[in-house]
Amino acid sequence: MASRSSDKDGDSVHTASEVPLTPRTSSPDGRRSSSDTSKSTYSLTRRISSLESRRPSSPLIDIKPIEFGVLSAKKEPIQPSVLRRTYTPDDYFRKFEPRLYSLDSSSDDVDSLTDEEILSKYQLGMLHFSTQYDLLHNHLTVRVIEARDLPPPISHDGSRQDMAHSNPYVKICLLPDQKNSKQTGVKRKTQRPVFEERYTFEIPFLEAQRRTLLLTVVDFDKFSRHCVIGKVSVPLCEVDLVKGGHWWKALIPSSQNEVELGELLLSLNYLPSAGRLNVDVIRAKQLLQTDVSQGSDPFVKIQLVHGLKLVKTKKTSFLRGTIDPFYNESFSFKVPQEELENASLVFTVFGHNMKSSNDFIGRIVIGQYSSGASESNHWRRMLNTHRTAVEQWHSLRSRAECDRVSPASLEVT
């Protein structure tokens, strides 16, 4: 009874599960001390921290900006929109290259075909040749022997007189070098020419094994550009060069329908103090043959054009029976410095002809109205290096090509 009454007189009664949230000071009536309260608070804090660590982390929510506005107002995009091109069916078909899917494409892989199959497919004839390397003198000998069953000639402009017979010859080079090529003589009016000509290439043995022998059969035409009949290519790494050998190979079509016209080596030099433009015609090589029997008798005509007016004409001597002439002739033109930017030099290579008009071989224009990027580069280099001679090789172009791109070419003959 005494204990029951003491409980009633107490301030409050705590169950075993209840924990005071605030510390209280110790009292003499048997309540908890401050140290006990602190321990209970620390224990509660640890339990809360443990529960927080067990709770799964909140997912990341990507909230995009919300646009607010009046329905009737003009809506402005927050980010620039990406313009997409609309494709039509024709756009997709333009990406295809029909030549890659053509059964008659000249780029077909002929390695898997025999010579008989190639001859039957293209009907361009066959070429007989041989190769052998001389280890003692470090040179490769290529012998062009004969050809047979060449096709009849093709005339694109109707200027050819004899449509029954060809005038074939063979150009020989070691790819990738096409500049130092050789050329046989022309065999007149025959589809079974016999050449029996030998040519030597000075080249180390290891370098020769990395080259590809290219033989191109060409049809000579005096009145138009020469036409390529067909070609044969042989990787020299696939043959025994020291032992040598003979081959009959079927001709295949060439992507190059017309032969190149040749190259011309020129040197230009301008003297501002004297107002003189000096020109050196050094040499030419692999010029187009204009005479069926003795090659060509080439010479170079140099013409100075100021604006669109022909001012002066000079020419070299002609050299008989060659397609690789050496000239080493110098010419000088009076050109004041203020007129230099309007000057053009027209170089035309002709084959000398005693009985009729000279045979046109090729042309280039250097100066204000240059006939190409190479010619423009040569002129620009000369302007930037006064008093210093600047040499450069140039590939000859046809008269039609020069007339199309250079007004100065139209002013000369």
Side-chain angles (χ1 to χ4, degrees):
M1 295 294 290
S3 62
R4 192 177 295 173
S5 109
S6 66
D7 289 338
K8 291 179 181 179
D9 294 335
D11 293 339
S12 62
V13 179
H14 298 277
T15 62
S17 62
E18 291 178 342
V19 180
L21 297 177
T22 57
R24 294 184 181 181
T25 58
S26 60
S27 59
D29 56 351
R31 295 177 184 172
R32 296 184 179 182
S33 64
S34 63
S35 61
D36 294 334
T37 306
S38 298
K39 292 179 179 179
S40 300
T41 305
Y42 177 75
S43 176
L44 177 62
T45 304
R46 291 187 61 185
R47 292 179 64 187
I48 294 174
S49 300
S50 177
L51 292 173
E52 288 292 334
S53 63
R54 296 177 185 177
R55 184 184 302 169
S57 59
S58 302
L60 298 177
I61 303 176
D62 185 12
I63 302 177
K64 296 184 178 179
I66 304 175
E67 298 178 24
F68 296 93
V70 184
L71 292 177
S72 60
K74 184 178 180 180
K75 182 179 178 180
E76 296 182 1
I78 296 177
Q79 297 180 351
S81 59
V82 179
L83 298 178
R84 298 183 180 276
R85 179 182 174 186
T86 57
Y87 287 90
T88 63
D90 291 339
D91 293 328
Y92 290 98
F93 287 107
R94 288 193 190 101
K95 298 179 181 179
F96 291 98
E97 297 186 35
R99 65 180 181 82
L100 299 178
Y101 305 92
S102 174
L103 296 177
D104 296 327
S105 174
S106 60
S107 60
D108 288 345
D109 186 9
V110 297
D111 294 337
S112 59
L113 302 178
T114 65
D115 285 315
E116 290 75 12
E117 291 172 334
I118 295 175
L119 182 61
S120 175
K121 181 176 182 179
Y122 299 112
Q123 299 182 358
L124 296 177
M126 301 190 73
L127 182 65
H128 188 195
F129 62 95
S130 69
T131 63
Q132 187 164 21
Y133 191 85
D134 188 339
L135 289 173
L136 182 62
H137 300 93
N138 290 327
H139 65 245
L140 175 69
T141 300
V142 179
R143 176 186 171 202
V144 182
I145 305 172
E146 60 180 319
R148 70 183 184 195
D149 302 328
L150 298 180
I154 299 175
S155 178
H156 298 284
D157 53 8
S159 61
R160 193 180 186 101
Q161 296 178 352
D162 186 358
M163 296 298 297
H165 302 94
S166 299
N167 301 310
Y169 64 93
V170 181
K171 294 179 70 74
I172 310 104
C173 68
L174 298 178
L175 297 177
D177 182 15
Q178 298 190 58
K179 303 300 182 182
N180 298 315
S181 60
K182 313 290 185 179
Q183 178 177 314
T184 70
V186 179
K187 303 302 175 180
R188 301 184 63 180
K189 297 184 177 182
T190 178
Q191 310 308 117
R192 301 176 64 91
V194 177
F195 298 102
E196 282 296 348
E197 299 183 29
R198 298 172 182 265
Y199 299 92
T200 301
F201 294 88
E202 302 289 339
I203 185 173
F205 179 74
L206 293 179
E207 179 63 23
Q209 289 184 312
R210 291 192 285 264
R211 300 295 187 92
T212 297
L213 174 63
L214 177 65
L215 303 164
T216 307
V217 182
V218 186
D219 183 17
F220 174 90
D221 187 358
K222 181 178 179 61
F223 300 101
S224 65
R225 298 190 68 169
H226 302 183
C227 179
V228 176
I229 297 175
K231 67 176 183 179
V232 170
S233 59
V234 179
L236 296 181
C237 62
E238 299 178 359
V239 301
D240 189 339
L241 292 178
V242 178
K243 182 179 179 181
H246 291 248
W247 296 275
W248 273 103
K249 289 288 185 180
L251 297 172
I252 63 173
S254 173
S255 58
Q256 181 183 359
N257 294 325
E258 296 176 338
V259 297
E260 296 180 354
L261 302 178
E263 292 186 276
L264 186 63
L265 179 60
L266 303 171
S267 174
L268 301 179
N269 176 28
Y270 184 72
L271 302 176
S273 57
R276 306 296 299 185
L277 177 58
N278 299 321
V279 178
D280 293 337
V281 181
I282 302 173
R283 59 169 295 197
K285 65 180 180 179
Q286 292 302 300
L287 296 178
L288 185 71
Q289 188 168 335
T290 58
D291 192 291
V292 69
S293 59
Q294 58 179 5
S296 298
D297 300 334
F299 69 92
V300 183
K301 182 186 288 187
I302 309 101
Q303 296 170 289
L304 174 64
V305 178
H306 183 262
L308 295 178
K309 180 181 178 181
L310 177 61
V311 178
K312 194 75 173 179
T313 298
K314 299 183 179 183
K315 62 182 179 178
T316 69
S317 57
F318 68 90
L319 303 179
R320 292 186 179 276
T322 179
I323 59 174
D324 301 297
F326 284 82
Y327 296 104
N328 287 322
E329 299 185 28
S330 300
F331 306 89
S332 183
F333 297 90
K334 179 70 174 178
V335 182
Q337 190 168 5
E338 60 273 12
E339 298 179 3
L340 185 62
E341 61 180 10
N342 296 323
S344 298
L345 290 170
V346 182
F347 297 87
T348 308
V349 182
F350 290 96
H352 181 71
N353 195 324
M354 295 289 293
K355 299 179 180 179
S356 61
S357 60
N358 295 323
D359 301 315
F360 178 89
I361 296 177
R363 171 179 292 173
I364 60 167
V365 183
I366 302 177
Q368 180 188 16
Y369 298 115
S370 294
S371 53
S374 174
E375 294 87 322
S376 297
N377 181 57
H378 194 180
W379 184 255
R380 187 164 51 250
R381 288 170 56 206
M382 184 207 70
L383 295 178
N384 294 334
T385 56
H386 287 169
R387 302 180 182 87
T388 302
V390 180
E391 289 186 9
Q392 185 170 320
W393 281 99
H394 296 277
S395 296
L396 296 175
R397 306 175 186 270
S398 66
R399 178 186 275 116
E401 183 180 357
C402 289
D403 290 349
R404 185 171 60 251
V405 299
S406 174
S409 178
L410 297 170
E411 302 302 317
V412 302
T413 56

